[in-house]
Structures are given as C-alpha cells and as structure tokens.
Amino acid sequence: MRSDTIVADLNPRQAEAVLHTEGPLLVLAGAGSGKTRVITRRIAYLIDHCGVPPWNILAVTFTNKAAGEMKRRVADLLGQNGSEPGLRDSGSVWVGTFHSTCVRILRKHGAALGIKSSFVIYDDGDQLSLMRDCLRAQGLSERSLNPRAILSRISRAKNELLTAEEYTLQANDRMEERTAKLYLMYQERLDSLQALDFDDLLMATVRLFEQHPEALAAYQDLWRYILVDEYQDTNHAQYRLVHLLTGNHGNLCVVGDDDQSIYRWRGADLNNILDFERDHSGCIVIRLEQNYRSTQQILQGAGGVVAHNYGRKGKTLWTENEVGDPIVLYRALDENDEALFAARTIQGRAADGGTGYDDYAIFYRTNAQSRVLEEALRQALIPYVIVGGLRFYERKEIKDLLAYLRWVVNPADSVSFKRLVNAPTRGIGPATIAKLELLAMQGKTTIWEACQRAVREKLLNTKQQAAMEGLLRLIEEVRSKTALSPISDLIGELITGSGYAEELEHERTPEAESRLENLKELVTAAQEFAERNGDGGLAAFLDSVALVSDLDEYAEGRGVVTLMTLHTAKGLEFDTVFMVGLEEGIFPHALAMPDERELEEERRLCYVGMTRARRRLYLASARQRRLYGNRSFNLPSRFLDEIPPDVLQVRDPWESRSVAPPPSTPSRPQHHDGEPFVDRLFPGARIRHPDFGVGVIRERSGSGDDLKVVVRFKAAGEKKLMVKYAQLEQA
DNA sequence: TTGCCAGTAAACTAT
DNA sequence: TTACTGGCAA
C-alpha cells in the first residue's frame, strides 16, 4: 500500500500522526476524533510501508478489550492486500495493557529479581485479607485503622515507585509511620507468598530494568516503536517504564486527551501528558480536534462544561455533523421518577422503530444507583445488561475455586490456602490454620509443606487430619495433571472433588443454584480461554483472569440497553445516552466537592460521559432521593449550569406542583441569612468546631436530634459528629 | 468449630 | 440499605 493511499481517507492532522513515525510524538486526540483509527493505521503503516517487523512494535492500551479491538483492526488493515504472510502477521504485534505487558516480562525475567515464574497476582480482595492479617499481627484493630485506607496509601507509594524501605525513611507523621510499618510487613509477606499485587507488577518491572540493564536492552531492542494510548491516565510508574523502554531510540507515540483524565484517584498523573513536550525534546504535537461522533449541540454542551476547568491544554472540538436535537434535562421528582423517565423514553423511541435497544446506554456515577434503574427497566420489559458492579471473577464461589487453582500453581500461596481450606466447610477453623501457619513459619517452608508435614507427623486432631489428607490428595492429583489435562477438566475435578458442588446441591436454595451455574460458567470460560490461547497453561489462565476488567466482558450487538458507571463508559459510544443523578453530592460526588482538583476530575468525568453520545443526550436530576437508607434533597448539579442554555432543553413536569422539600430537611446550604443553621450542614459546607477548628463537611446522615455529620478537619482528620452535641458554628 | 444473631460501620470510581 | 464483624451458644 502506498503512503498516499493509506491516509487517503484521513484528515490532514490524522494523516500527519500516521506518517510521523520517528521520534517522540504527542497526539492530543479529542473525544470522537478518530483516535483508534489513527493508531491502527499507524501500526499498519509502520509494518506495511516502513518495513518494520511487527514484533518490533509495542502498543499499550488501557483495557484488554481495547487491545483486542486494536489487534483486530490492524489485522483487517494488513489483510486487505494479500501479500506474503509472516512479516505482516499482525498477531506478532504486542498489544496489551501495562499490567499484562509487565506480567509477560516478569514471567520471563523476574528470576533476576528473585521472583519465581510461578508467582500469583493478588487482586484487591486478596490484598485486603493480607492486610487484615498484618493489622492483626501488629495488634491493631480494624476499628482504629481502616485496612483499605492503608492499602490505598501503599498503592500510592508504589505508584510513585517508593519501596517500603524508602517510604519508611520519608514517613513524617504518625499515620505515615504506622503505614510504613504495615507496608514493610505487607511486602515481606507478599514476597514470601510469591505474590505480586497490581502495583507490584509495574514497580517490579521498573526495578528489573533499572537493576538489570541487559534485560532492559533486550526489550529496547525488541520494541523499537512504542505506542501508548490513554496517556493521560498513566501514573508515575508507568511513565518511568515507558521512559526506560524508549530510552535508546525515542520512538514514542503517546495518544491522549487531558480533558478525559479520570483516574487521578488511582495515581494517574496529568502532568505526564501536560509536560510531555518538556520531557521530550524535538517532540511533535498534533491536535485532533475534528469530532466525527456527536452532533453540534452535544459537543457544545460538553465543551461548555469542561471549559470551566483550569488545568488543561485547551482544545476546541468542532464537527461537520448535523446540529441535532438539544440536550434534554429532565428534572425528576425522585430516583424512581428518574428511572421511569429513562425507561419510558427508551420504550417510546424503540417502539417508533429505527433504533434498537443496543443504541441506548445509561450512565451513573456510582454502582449503587443501578438498582432503581434495573427495576424500572425490568418492569417496562426492556432488556438490559449491567457492565461492572460485582464482577464475575469477584463472586465468592469463583474466587473460592480460583483459590484452589492458585494453590495448585503456587504452593506458597497461603492467602489462597486460607480461602479454600474451609470452602466447603471441612472442620478446619482458625485454630488449625494458625497451627499450620506457625509450622510453616518455624520451618521456613511453604504452607503446602507445612500441611504435608502436619499430616505426616499426625499433628492435627483426627477430624482435621482426615480432612487435610483428603484435601492434599486432591491438590496433588490435580497438580500432577496440570501439564496434560485441559484447564476446564481440572476445574471440573476441583468442583466435585472438593465437595464444593455437593455442599451447594445440598443447600437447595436459588442462590446455591446460581452459584453452581456460575461454576459451570467458569468451566466454559476455561474452555474458551484454551480455544483462544492454545495451551497457554494454567498460570496464563490465572493471569488473564486476574487482569480482566469490567469492560472486557462487555460485547456489543446483544440487542440490550447498557447500564454502566461513567468511568466504565470511557472509550465507548452510543446513539443515545442517559446520564442520571446530576445532583450536588452525587455528581459531583460529595467526597470530591471540597477539593478543587477532584472537582475538576468530576467535571472531566461529566465531559467523558456527555461525549459518548452520538445523536441524543438526556440528563436527569432528582429533587429528592433515598440513598443509604435515608432521604436526601439535593440541588441540581453545578455542571448543569455550565452547559450553554441554548443547547439545553429543560423538562420539569413537577415544577408547578408543591414538591419542595419539607422545611425541616431542606437541600444544600443556601446562603441567605434567615436559614436555620442545621440547614447549612451539607457536604461542602465549612464549619468550626471548638476543639478541632475549621473543617469541611463530607457527609450528612440522620435528622433531628440524630443528625450526624462527617467532617474533615485540617489537623484532626475526619470525625463523625453528632450535631446535637458538637457545638458547631459557621466558619 | 460452626452457625446464628445482633449490632454496626461504610456505602466512588478500578487495572 | 447492605455487608460484615464479633460475640455467643450448641
């Protein structure tokens, strides 16, 4: 294919991004500007026109789904002109997420760091139980120290590439010192379990490359052209990794949109994209500002919102698409009315013909909001699918079974052992487990060897002895077959051999039945995995399971309405989009409101949601809603005020009727003086406390004498206070 | 050791 | 509202 034909249907900016192959390149790609098209075309161009062997190209995406999509499209492009196979085999372009790429590297070269190739990946459930162990071991109660908070601090440290030792050195308040102690212990245990958490995958790979130049050189040599998608959502560790890999050749193309950065809370550093030009001399910047997705009014609406942010590069999207319909805002009575509005609108439009259910998506800020929507859709007999929420691989029964598999692969994995040992119940409780762990610790052996020794030397009580013997026999049996039998057979053997199926069948409840169904589904998943990846082996299956995201399980074209969080919606598009819960405290979320940077992130999230819509965009807010048990009255989201009024059509069927909140529990702080003080105590409000000083309200619950608020104080941290006793005053 | 109950805490996004 | 812990009895 000649270079003028490969870019013939691209606009000049897009073509430039495809053809500029050497050196650093930053593509600022606005929403709907044909980003994936550019990336795939660029890969095809490198292979086809520049004669770059496909294996010399690394493309990093944000999700496995995006990776799959990209591979498919590159294959299509290369397949179009039949020439000799082999060289243009797109299958050998490595397209993956940061995490899957790191797993691949570590499985191969981790030994240099003392990481066995059989290491397991711990997800956040595993992390949590490990952290709980650490807390207990240090004599701390979960009441005094939230293990999730500790883990999130550790995660932040790891994203900054701070080891436990380094973190300890720079800890300078009480909380950080405590975190440091726990980080040290947590990491020590992870190491001894031969387990890596998500952040370790990145951190260990960086360490590998920094300490073993020969390993780095091998990959620099392999990947001569590197592409990173969604660059605005990379964290420091990822930045460092990319930097190392491109160190010798500088052929780095990053694609991103600062306005779509929505993962700050996960360590993403917007500066990676904002400072890209500064960090890479001779860098070319290309802006893709023509939008091919949305109508003019939708684009104007979204642009109006995001224009209220300060920290941005500044882009103005334009489109040649039709003007389209105005954005519709529905002011609902409550969350049920809001859900009903969406259901009725979808029903009406779908009945008119022209559009199928596939064309509709409903986005919400938090998963908890999905329930009411589900009910409304179910009652309206509208088929739907929820993407996200409780994931398949996070269900209890699935995690239990995976624990068996993980123990088969990695005999040192005591977190998995503790999970499976009493699932189903075998009469082996905390006391016995403690005994076995002690045994392992004293003998400096794996938990597997400790169990074996306990059985051999008859160290357990008769009942436990018998149960343990059976368990070990099962694991050994399955372990001996791993190389020969299909994974699905191994899973089948574990489901029956462990007595798991029997216990569930015995229960005779609908829940138990659905759990059995899920386990069967796991067998199917293993079969599909084998078909896709050949004999990747058990470890590869477990990797893929650990790294799947919500979105990966989402497939288009099922004739159903899609429900998902705004975060999950990134990268997708729909003909018609509903965004619900546009209220202060919900979206923007109450926890984000006091911090200007977090507020800007919420605004970007709003922008991302709006720009998913091709032709129709419906927004909804409710005057009151029940949330977490109690009713709240929220003001319409500030983002609604930021949409240019001339592209917004407001529908408010309840306007004339008396639906104002009762005077005792009104909405957010309104700044007129006659208002009772308690009526100002809503998230975002600043108050003064006699002991703690000035703070910002994060949450409000209860009413009357029972009214409670959670306040974040500068010095004292977060406190939950009874308003009745706390002597709060206006700050 | 298990299973039940009651009380309570947390309730945002996720590779 | 839900999910989970911790205490307690069998």
Side-chain angles (χ1 to χ4, degrees):
Chain A
M1 194 186 275
R2 292 194 5 233
S3 62
D4 53 341
T5 50
I6 201 165
V7 296
D9 54 343
L10 300 180
N11 71 37
R13 309 274 81 204
Q14 291 176 326
E16 195 184 346
V18 169
L19 299 176
H20 184 89
T21 55
E22 308 296 309
L25 171 67
L26 167 61
V27 180
L28 287 169
S33 63
K35 178 187 70 169
T36 310
R37 201 166 200 223
V38 167
I39 296 176
T40 49
R41 211 58 83 83
R42 188 181 155 89
I43 295 175
Y45 177 71
L46 280 169
I47 296 172
D48 233 354
H49 187 84
C50 307
V52 175
W55 54 84
N56 283 154
I57 301 171
L58 168 68
V60 184
T61 59
F62 204 65
T63 63
N64 293 307
K65 181 175 189 276
E69 167 83 4
M70 202 165 284
K71 266 187 198 161
R72 198 181 55 70
R73 285 174 66 167
V74 172
D76 284 353
L77 283 173
L78 294 177
Q80 273 164 8
N81 52 343
S83 48
E84 80 282 5
L87 256 191
R88 57 184 71 258
D89 172 16
S90 68
S92 45
V93 178
W94 178 264
V95 189
T97 62
F98 272 106
H99 291 87
S100 67
T101 306
C102 288
V103 169
R104 181 196 187 194
I105 294 169
L106 290 173
R107 290 254 183 251
K108 214 166 174 185
H109 294 100
L113 295 173
I115 297 171
K116 285 201 182 164
S117 67
S118 60
F119 71 84
V120 293
I121 303 166
Y122 272 14
D123 67 13
D124 30 64
D126 305 319
Q127 289 178 267
L128 200 57
S129 55
L130 189 57
M131 182 49 74
R132 290 202 169 114
D133 287 351
C134 294
L135 283 170
R136 236 166 288 149
Q138 300 197 0
L140 299 160
S141 78
E142 270 190 46
R143 275 173 161 280
S144 61
L145 224 50
N146 180 346
R148 284 175 203 277
I150 302 292
L151 282 170
S152 108
R153 280 166 180 267
I154 292 176
S155 173
R156 240 175 296 157
K158 287 186 176 180
N159 286 334
E160 290 298 317
L161 296 170
L162 282 175
T163 62
E165 290 74 20
E166 289 161 346
Y167 185 88
T168 307
L169 287 176
Q170 57 100 68
N172 59 33
D173 64 33
R174 215 168 107 68
M175 185 62 191
E176 287 185 1
E177 279 160 17
R178 283 212 246 168
T179 305
K181 266 195 188 152
L182 286 160
Y183 186 2
L184 282 165
M185 178 178 246
Y186 171 78
Q187 201 58 42
E188 193 182 305
R189 296 202 171 185
L190 274 181
D191 293 347
S192 72
L193 301 173
Q194 293 162 32
L196 278 77
D197 66 23
F198 282 132
D199 302 315
D200 284 337
L201 296 174
L202 301 169
M203 198 165 159
T205 309
V206 169
R207 192 152 43 98
L208 172 73
F209 286 160
E210 283 177 340
Q211 295 176 2
H212 299 272
E214 73 288 352
L216 174 60
Y219 283 99
Q220 283 179 337
D221 214 41
L222 176 65
W223 290 323
R224 308 259 179 84
Y225 292 87
I226 296 184
L227 257 146
V228 182
D229 192 12
E230 306 284 11
Y231 190 70
Q232 75 281 358
D233 284 323
T234 51
N235 60 36
H236 178 69
Q238 291 164 335
Y239 168 86
R240 187 80 195 116
L241 196 60
V242 169
H243 204 79
L244 284 164
L245 280 171
T246 53
N248 64 336
H249 53 67
N251 292 329
L252 171 63
C253 169
V254 303
V255 184
D257 179 1
D258 49 321
D259 288 334
Q260 294 189 63
S261 164
I262 55 174
Y263 286 99
R264 206 179 83 90
W265 49 274
R266 217 169 73 187
D269 187 352
L270 198 43
N271 292 324
N272 288 349
I273 195 163
L274 297 178
D275 296 341
F276 188 86
E277 293 171 74
R278 198 198 58 200
D279 295 348
H280 299 265
S281 56
C283 163
I284 302 283
V285 182
I286 296 176
R287 283 185 154 76
L288 303 181
E289 297 182 302
Q290 180 174 3
N291 172 294
Y292 295 95
R293 180 186 295 149
S294 309
T295 63
Q296 291 182 25
Q297 300 211 53
I298 289 172
L299 221 49
Q300 271 176 44
V305 172
V306 81
H308 283 76
N309 273 354
Y310 290 100
R312 57 191 295 251
K313 286 225 168 217
K315 258 189 288 46
T316 313
L317 290 193
W318 59 278
T319 183
E320 288 175 352
N321 291 349
E322 55 175 341
V323 175
D325 298 334
I327 300 167
V328 172
L329 166 64
Y330 181 76
R331 298 267 289 119
L333 189 59
D334 57 20
E335 75 276 16
N336 294 307
D337 182 41
E338 179 185 71
L340 224 57
F341 163 72
R344 274 194 308 249
T345 309
I346 294 172
Q347 209 167 33
R349 298 202 56 86
D352 283 349
T355 48
Y357 291 129
D358 264 333
D359 289 325
Y360 298 91
I362 307 179
F363 303 155
Y364 34 83
R365 179 62 178 80
T366 67
N367 278 310
Q369 288 167 258
S370 71
R371 220 184 60 202
V372 195
L373 293 162
E374 275 188 84
E375 276 163 26
L377 292 173
R378 207 161 31 221
Q379 275 178 19
L381 301 175
I382 296 170
Y384 65 88
V385 61
I386 294 194
V387 182
L390 184 59
R391 289 183 256 173
F392 180 71
Y393 288 107
E394 272 166 15
R395 284 165 215 270
K396 182 186 177 305
E397 61 277 16
I398 302 300
K399 291 216 68 177
D400 286 345
L401 232 105
L402 291 176
Y404 280 91
L405 287 179
R406 302 210 297 188
W407 203 32
V408 166
V409 171
N410 177 6
D413 187 354
S414 71
V415 169
S416 290
F417 165 75
K418 278 190 270 186
R419 174 164 198 122
L420 67 86
V421 70
N422 234 5
T425 46
R426 294 191 170 83
I428 299 177
T432 311
I433 292 175
K435 205 190 261 181
L436 291 164
E437 281 194 301
L438 189 67
L439 215 54
M441 204 130 71
Q442 284 169 342
K444 288 201 175 1
T445 62
T446 63
I447 191 74
W448 166 259
E449 284 165 73
C451 290
Q452 277 190 315
R453 185 169 154 217
V455 167
R456 215 181 317 118
E457 299 175 14
K458 303 219 172 2
L459 302 173
L460 305 177
N461 301 330
T462 26
K463 192 179 159 206
Q464 282 76 17
Q465 176 83 19
M468 185 55 83
E469 274 180 36
L471 175 61
L472 294 188
R473 215 176 307 123
L474 174 69
I475 299 290
E476 226 156 25
E477 166 91 19
V478 173
R479 191 173 288 153
S480 70
K481 288 185 189 164
T482 43
L484 311 162
S485 307
I487 299 162
S488 50
D489 288 4
L490 302 180
I491 295 173
E493 181 161 352
L494 287 170
I495 293 173
T496 47
S498 65
Y500 208 105
E502 203 183 343
E503 191 182 64
L504 285 176
E505 277 158 16
H506 195 70
E507 250 187 68
R508 301 202 155 277
T509 60
E511 292 89 75
E513 251 166 60
S514 101
R515 290 186 177 207
L516 271 171
E517 286 295 311
N518 286 335
L519 287 173
K520 280 187 201 144
E521 190 56 37
L522 182 64
V523 175
T524 312
Q527 280 164 352
E528 281 170 6
F529 176 82
E531 280 161 25
R532 266 201 321 274
N533 301 286
D535 52 346
L538 189 49
F541 175 67
L542 289 174
D543 285 349
S544 80
V545 163
L547 299 174
V548 287
S549 72
D550 287 351
L551 199 58
D552 297 336
E553 288 161 51
Y554 166 71
E556 291 117 275
R558 286 164 45 181
V560 301
V561 174
T562 305
L563 273 63
M564 59 174 84
T565 65
L566 285 152
H567 280 89
T568 313
K570 186 165 91 159
L572 302 176
E573 59 177 65
F574 296 88
D575 182 83
T576 303
V577 164
F578 291 84
M579 285 168 64
V580 298
L582 276 143
E583 295 140 45
E584 293 286 307
I586 306 279
F587 190 34
H589 195 274
L591 297 176
M593 281 172 18
D595 183 330
E596 194 53 40
R597 280 169 310 175
E598 286 187 42
L599 194 60
E600 292 214 348
E601 176 139 317
E602 296 281 303
R603 192 174 279 116
R604 290 193 292 267
L605 190 55
C606 185
Y607 175 76
V608 167
M610 293 174 80
T611 52
R612 300 306 96 197
R614 283 196 289 263
R615 294 178 56 226
R616 291 199 174 75
L617 178 57
Y618 295 94
L619 310 174
S621 67
R623 289 188 166 78
Q624 51 174 293
R625 83 168 56 233
R626 262 214 323 265
L627 200 64
Y628 310 132
N630 42 14
R631 185 180 302 275
S632 61
F633 298 87
N634 302 319
L635 283 184
S637 170
R638 68 191 71 191
F639 301 147
L640 294 171
D641 299 332
E642 297 168 359
I643 298 172
D646 47 320
V647 300
L648 190 67
Q649 182 194 99
V650 181
R651 291 190 203 161
D652 193 347
W654 310 93
E655 191 178 20
S656 53
R657 286 172 242 183
S658 172
V659 289
S664 58
T665 44
S667 47
R668 242 197 355 151
Q670 316 237 324
H671 299 289
H672 33 89
D673 292 340
E675 197 179 39
F677 177 58
V678 292
D679 293 348
R680 297 188 193 151
L681 301 177
F682 278 86
R686 284 161 57 83
I687 52 90
R688 183 186 306 279
H689 184 276
D691 298 329
F692 303 135
V694 175
V696 177
I697 296 187
R698 312 272 290 185
E699 280 171 57
R700 169 188 173 118
S701 60
S703 57
D705 281 357
D706 196 37
L707 182 64
K708 294 184 274 285
V709 289
V710 175
V711 186
R712 172 121 109 199
F713 294 100
K714 218 176 198 158
E718 281 198 8
K719 300 280 176 197
K720 188 162 192 171
L721 306 167
M722 297 282 295
V723 172
K724 192 181 170 193
Y725 303 114
Q727 298 175 23
L728 303 178
E729 52 183 71
Q730 181 94 45

